[in-house]
């Protein structure tokens, strides 16, 4: 009885939350489907009178769309792969090993998260100029990796700590070497952790604007957010194609997330010890 | 490179000495952090001790002034106002977004499958919206000429004239805060929800058999298991909300008045607006110092955890 009752109130709250949270998203999508004269009016309508795909056509045929899409894909791909690999090694050390200087390492990882990005912009730009990495995707990728690393290391460490050491020890007894034990036993078990952190790194790299804006100057190097920002200038914002482009930019994240979310939820670790 | 020589040099059985393994494992991450952040952080420190303005930019060299930037900042009443405003804003933001996110996650456990599915989808969409775009849409919602909210209020039949929501700072900060919380909710809700689904069912059943009410179940079973997740989420929220910049910058069309300055905006304004880069660096360092003090408990906990 009790659960039935609470379920109704939570369903109602759920619907309210969907409306409140979803409204800006809804507005983005409907605007992308409205003709120009229906967009910026004093009396905007919730539902477009005339559905049109002209904004999508306009956005996708504009110069640089495919190029910036491709750039973003490259940046995201390498940011996710590199940060996960590098962080996985580090998190094994932090979660599983004792070593001198560990506290300092952990402290510096945590402190990096507190650095205000806006304060580092200039020295970062100067540094990358010296390294000849400005206006190169590699420079952006390296910077993104550095900024997402702390979160990824720390989250993976959390997943690793929850995996009983008995599992690796058993593998060692069975004649595995240590790297083998990690590869064959630990790696599959932290898959959900890798997935969760991959999403985090993916979204950060896909949506990041400020750093990319400072570090990349030529239009053919622009990532999607920079390309999107091109729709706003001092004369105002060209909302229709901007919303169409943003909707398109959100699709890969949604696909990536839905492919991956089941894996987090199933919790691969659940039966590992009992089995 | 180092790795290869070690592999060759050591005896075959224990090719890599045990003691070196952890250092090999953290080396790539240290390299990356040191390469990208080492110099900028060092430069931030040195810059904060220099007089560095337009003249120095042209000369390409700052003048060393010791702690003058710090003492000038700390004596400036505006600094204390900004700090107070930022702390209040951070506190409000963290409480609202954590409470709302946790509440929503708990509700999600009890929702009808379809509603949960839609809500989940909405949260992901919110997360997936490029920040620049989502803030622009929020600005549009509350703009002066074409405000969607004003239009909605009018369409319900209430006569509500054109309204500048940002003249009153309380109303302005509420709207900015709303967009910040809105953007933070997906991450918080999805994390808490994921943690909730990890609470073993047999534990809850056992508690139920022992006659625990749902409130007791929450207090004695769920809450202790979720505590680490909350600690991390709260601390990350503090760090992120304390540094809010883009929201204020975009909402107020790249020229926020001093009544809208938070620490990050203030530091940015000093550097790029007034070309006092040394002063901006000093303010940024003070910001980091405040953040460290505010999250001191979390840092200690984390370091202890990391040391286990």
């Amino acid at each position: 009885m009790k659960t039935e009752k609470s379920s109704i109130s939570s369903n109602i709250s759920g619907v309210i939350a969907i409306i409140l949270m979803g409204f800006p998203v809804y507005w983005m999508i409907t605007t992308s489907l409205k003709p120009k004269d229906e967009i910026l009016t004093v009396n905007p309508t919730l539902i477009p009178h005339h559905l049109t795909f002209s904004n999508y056509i306009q956005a996708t045929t504009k110069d640089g769309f495919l190029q910036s899409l491709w750039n973003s894909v490259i940046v995201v791909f390498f940011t996710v792969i590199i940060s996960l690999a590098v962080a996985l090694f580090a998190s094994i050390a932090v979660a599983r090993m004792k070593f001198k200087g560990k506290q300092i390492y952990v402290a510096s990882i945590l402190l990096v998260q507190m650095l205000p990005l806006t304060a580092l912009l200039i020295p970062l730009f100067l540094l990358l100029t010296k390294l000849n990495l400005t206006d190169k995707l590699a420079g952006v990728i390296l910077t993104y990796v550095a900024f997402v690393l702390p979160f990824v290391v720390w989250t993976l460490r959390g997943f690793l700590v929850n995996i009983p050491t008995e599992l690796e020890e058993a593998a060692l007894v069975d004649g595995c070497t240590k790297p083998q034990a990690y590869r064959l036993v630990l790696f599959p078990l932290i898959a959900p952790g890798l997935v969760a952190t991959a999403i985090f790194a993916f979204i950060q790299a896909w949506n990041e604007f400020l750093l990319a804006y400072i570090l990349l100057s030529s239009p053919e190097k622009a990532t999607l957010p920079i390309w999107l920002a091109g729709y706003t200038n001092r004369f105002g914002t060209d909302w229709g194609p901007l919303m169409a482009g943003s909707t398109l930019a959100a699709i890969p994240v949604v696909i990536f997330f839905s492919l991956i979310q089941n894996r987090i939820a199933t919790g691969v670790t659940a039966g590992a010890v009992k089995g | 490179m180092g790795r290869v020589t070690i592999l060759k040099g050591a005896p075959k059985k224990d090719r890599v000495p045990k003691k070196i393994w952890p250092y090999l494992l953290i080396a790539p991450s240290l390299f990356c952090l040191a390469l990208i952040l080492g110099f900028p952080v060092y430069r931030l420190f040195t810059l904060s001790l220099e007089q560095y303005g337009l003249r120095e930019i042209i000369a390409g060299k700052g003048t060393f002034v010791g702690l003058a930037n710090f003492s000038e900042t700390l004596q400036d009443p505006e600094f204390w106002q900004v700090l107070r405003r930022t702390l209040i804003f951070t506190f409000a933001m963290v409480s609202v977004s954590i409470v709302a996110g946790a509440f929503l996650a708990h509700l999600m456990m009890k929702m009808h499958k379809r509603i949960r599915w839609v809500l989940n989808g909405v949260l992901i969409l919110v997360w997936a919206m490029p920040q620049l775009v989502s803030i622009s849409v929020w600005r549009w919602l509350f703009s002066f000429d074409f405000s969607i909210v004003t239009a909605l209020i009018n369409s319900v039949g209430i006569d509500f004239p054109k309204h500048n929501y940002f003249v009153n700072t309380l109303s302005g900060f509420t709207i900015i805060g709303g967009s910040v919380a809105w953007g933070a909710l997906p991450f918080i809700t999805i994390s808490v929800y994921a943690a909730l689904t990890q609470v073993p069912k047999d534990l809850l059943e056992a508690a139920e058999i022992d006659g625990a009410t749902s409130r007791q179940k929450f207090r004695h079973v769920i809450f202790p298991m979720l505590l680490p997740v909350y600690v991390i989420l709260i601390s990350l929220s503090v760090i992120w909300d304390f540094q809010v910049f883009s929201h204020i910058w975009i909402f107020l069309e790249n020229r926020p008045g001093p009544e809208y300055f938070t620490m990050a905006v203030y530091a940015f304004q000093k550097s790029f607006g007034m070309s006092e880069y040394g002063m901006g660096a000093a303010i940024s360092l003070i910001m980091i110092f405040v953040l460290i003090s505010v999250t001191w408990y979390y840092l200690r906990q984390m370091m202890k955890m990391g040391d286990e």
Side-chain angles (χ1 to χ4, degrees):
Chain A
M1 284 298 273
K2 210 166 187 183
T3 47
E4 284 280 293
K5 220 177 177 182
S6 62
S7 167
I8 290 173
S9 62
S10 44
N11 283 341
I12 295 171
S13 329
V15 173
I16 296 173
I18 289 170
I19 295 171
L20 284 178
M21 290 298 289
F23 187 75
V25 180
Y26 174 80
W27 201 256
M28 169 178 84
I29 297 171
T30 47
T31 303
S32 74
L33 296 167
K34 282 178 181 172
K36 201 162 192 149
D37 56 323
E38 277 186 49
I39 293 175
L40 265 191
T41 65
V42 189
N43 296 308
T45 49
L46 282 176
I47 301 158
H49 287 308
H50 307 280
L51 275 183
T52 169
F53 285 99
S54 63
N55 294 319
Y56 285 90
I57 295 164
Q58 206 185 323
T60 47
T61 53
K62 192 189 166 201
D63 272 356
F65 173 75
L66 283 177
Q67 182 67 52
S68 64
L69 182 70
W70 178 240
N71 292 342
S72 272
V73 169
I74 290 177
V75 167
V76 166
F77 179 78
F78 284 106
T79 304
V80 171
I81 297 288
I82 297 174
S83 61
L84 255 61
V86 168
L88 181 61
F89 291 141
S91 61
I92 289 176
V94 175
R96 282 289 196 257
M97 297 168 178
K98 279 198 164 79
F99 59 94
K100 249 190 203 153
K102 186 160 147 184
Q103 277 227 334
I104 299 172
Y105 178 73
V106 169
S108 53
I109 283 273
L110 293 170
L111 287 177
V112 165
Q113 293 185 316
M114 304 199 176
L115 298 173
L117 179 62
T118 43
L120 298 180
L121 281 177
I122 296 182
L124 200 57
F125 179 79
L126 294 177
L127 170 76
L128 289 176
T129 312
K130 245 180 227 162
L131 295 174
N132 206 8
L133 280 173
T134 40
D135 206 23
K136 293 208 173 79
L137 293 182
V140 176
I141 293 168
L142 257 176
T143 318
Y144 285 179
V145 169
F147 276 99
V148 296
L149 254 185
F151 180 86
V152 179
V153 170
W154 201 255
T155 313
L156 286 180
R157 178 208 157 271
F159 277 91
L160 277 169
V161 169
N162 284 331
I163 298 169
T165 41
E166 287 91 352
L167 285 178
E168 294 146 68
E169 278 155 19
L172 291 176
V173 171
D174 287 349
C176 280
T177 62
K178 210 147 196 187
Q180 271 180 327
Y182 285 143
R183 190 162 51 86
L184 300 173
V185 179
L186 269 190
F187 192 72
L189 286 176
I190 53 159
L194 289 172
V195 162
T197 44
I199 292 176
F200 182 84
F202 185 107
I203 295 185
Q204 289 291 321
W206 186 256
N207 286 345
E208 205 286 329
F209 173 73
L210 203 52
L211 277 169
Y213 182 72
I214 299 277
L215 295 179
L216 302 169
S217 46
S218 48
E220 65 270 16
K221 293 284 161 55
T223 55
L224 259 183
I226 297 178
W227 182 80
L228 286 173
Y231 280 113
T232 301
N233 55 32
R234 65 204 157 90
F235 303 114
T237 301
D238 198 356
W239 287 103
L242 172 65
M243 295 291 118
S246 310
T247 308
L248 291 176
I251 291 174
V253 182
V254 176
I255 293 175
F256 187 70
F257 206 109
S258 38
L259 281 179
I260 257 167
Q261 203 180 25
N262 286 332
R263 299 214 53 177
I264 316 177
T266 46
V268 186
T269 44
V273 178
K274 282 185 242 156
Chain B
M1 285 299 269
R3 192 165 173 164
V4 177
T5 48
I6 290 161
L7 286 176
K8 273 185 188 161
K12 209 187 168 194
K13 199 185 165 204
D14 233 13
R15 284 182 307 181
V16 181
K18 243 185 168 175
K19 268 192 178 168
I20 301 206
W21 262 114
Y23 299 107
L24 281 181
L25 289 171
I26 62 168
S29 61
L30 268 183
F31 172 74
C32 185
L33 290 177
L35 175 74
I36 293 299
L37 298 172
F39 171 77
V41 171
Y42 161 79
R43 192 69 190 97
L44 191 63
F45 271 99
T46 54
L47 200 58
S48 74
L49 302 174
E50 286 170 12
Q51 153 85 34
Y52 204 101
L54 280 179
R55 195 187 313 152
E56 285 76 12
I57 291 182
I58 295 163
K61 209 170 171 248
T63 343
F64 183 81
V65 289
L67 293 173
N69 289 327
F70 288 94
S71 66
E72 199 177 314
T73 302
L74 293 175
Q75 277 163 21
D76 186 353
E78 188 181 14
F79 164 78
W80 294 101
Q81 257 177 19
V82 172
L83 178 62
R84 206 177 123 239
R85 186 182 301 132
T86 312
L87 287 174
I88 294 172
F89 180 75
T90 306
F91 180 77
M93 269 352 315
V94 174
S95 343
V96 168
S97 48
I98 293 286
V99 168
F103 185 66
L104 211 54
H106 281 272
L107 285 178
M108 274 172 88
M109 299 293 285
K110 295 187 213 153
M111 268 174 211
H112 190 275
K113 224 170 141 192
R114 289 218 187 93
I115 298 181
R116 182 167 63 217
W117 190 83
V118 176
L119 179 57
N120 200 11
V122 166
L123 290 175
I124 293 165
L125 276 169
V126 169
W127 205 2
M129 223 165 140
Q131 197 188 40
L132 182 84
V133 176
S134 65
I135 304 174
S136 303
V137 171
W138 269 83
R139 191 183 69 195
W140 185 5
L141 283 174
F142 296 97
S143 68
F144 182 69
D145 285 321
F146 300 106
S147 165
I148 301 156
V149 172
T150 310
L152 276 179
I153 296 174
N154 279 309
S155 70
V156 187
I158 303 164
D159 192 33
F160 190 64
K162 265 191 188 180
H163 184 71
N164 187 338
Y165 294 88
F166 291 90
V167 167
N168 180 323
T169 41
L170 185 63
S171 124
F173 266 114
T174 310
I175 292 166
I176 292 169
S179 76
V180 172
W182 174 85
L185 266 180
F187 177 65
I188 296 171
T189 312
I190 290 173
S191 304
V192 176
Y193 179 71
L196 274 174
T197 56
Q198 306 279 314
V199 175
K201 283 222 172 61
D202 24 344
L203 265 182
L204 290 175
E205 276 161 22
E208 227 162 90
I209 290 168
D210 290 344
T213 63
S214 54
R215 183 168 296 174
Q216 282 171 324
K217 263 194 292 183
F218 176 76
R219 258 196 63 188
H220 299 291
V221 184
I222 299 175
F223 187 71
M225 293 198 81
L226 287 192
L227 195 59
V229 177
Y230 281 128
V231 171
I232 291 182
L233 286 177
I234 290 173
S235 310
L236 285 177
S237 300
V238 169
I239 294 171
W240 290 335
D241 292 338
F242 191 78
Q243 300 185 2
V244 160
F245 173 80
S246 322
H247 293 80
I248 295 172
W249 200 254
I250 297 174
F251 259 113
L252 295 152
E253 284 157 10
N254 305 347
R255 41 172 195 279
E259 70 277 13
Y260 278 103
F261 281 4
T262 57
M263 288 296 277
V265 180
Y266 183 56
F268 189 85
Q269 187 68 20
K270 273 270 192 281
S271 295
F272 296 91
M274 301 164 75
S275 299
E276 293 196 45
Y277 294 93
M279 198 69 91
I283 297 171
S284 301
L285 280 177
I286 297 174
M287 238 176 111
I288 298 173
F289 174 77
V290 173
L291 257 184
I292 291 175
S293 351
V294 172
T295 52
W296 186 245
Y297 173 76
Y298 156 80
L299 287 175
R300 288 291 305 274
Q301 288 305 99
M302 292 288 134
M303 281 174 67
K304 265 189 222 153
M305 266 165 77
D307 212 30
E308 268 160 19

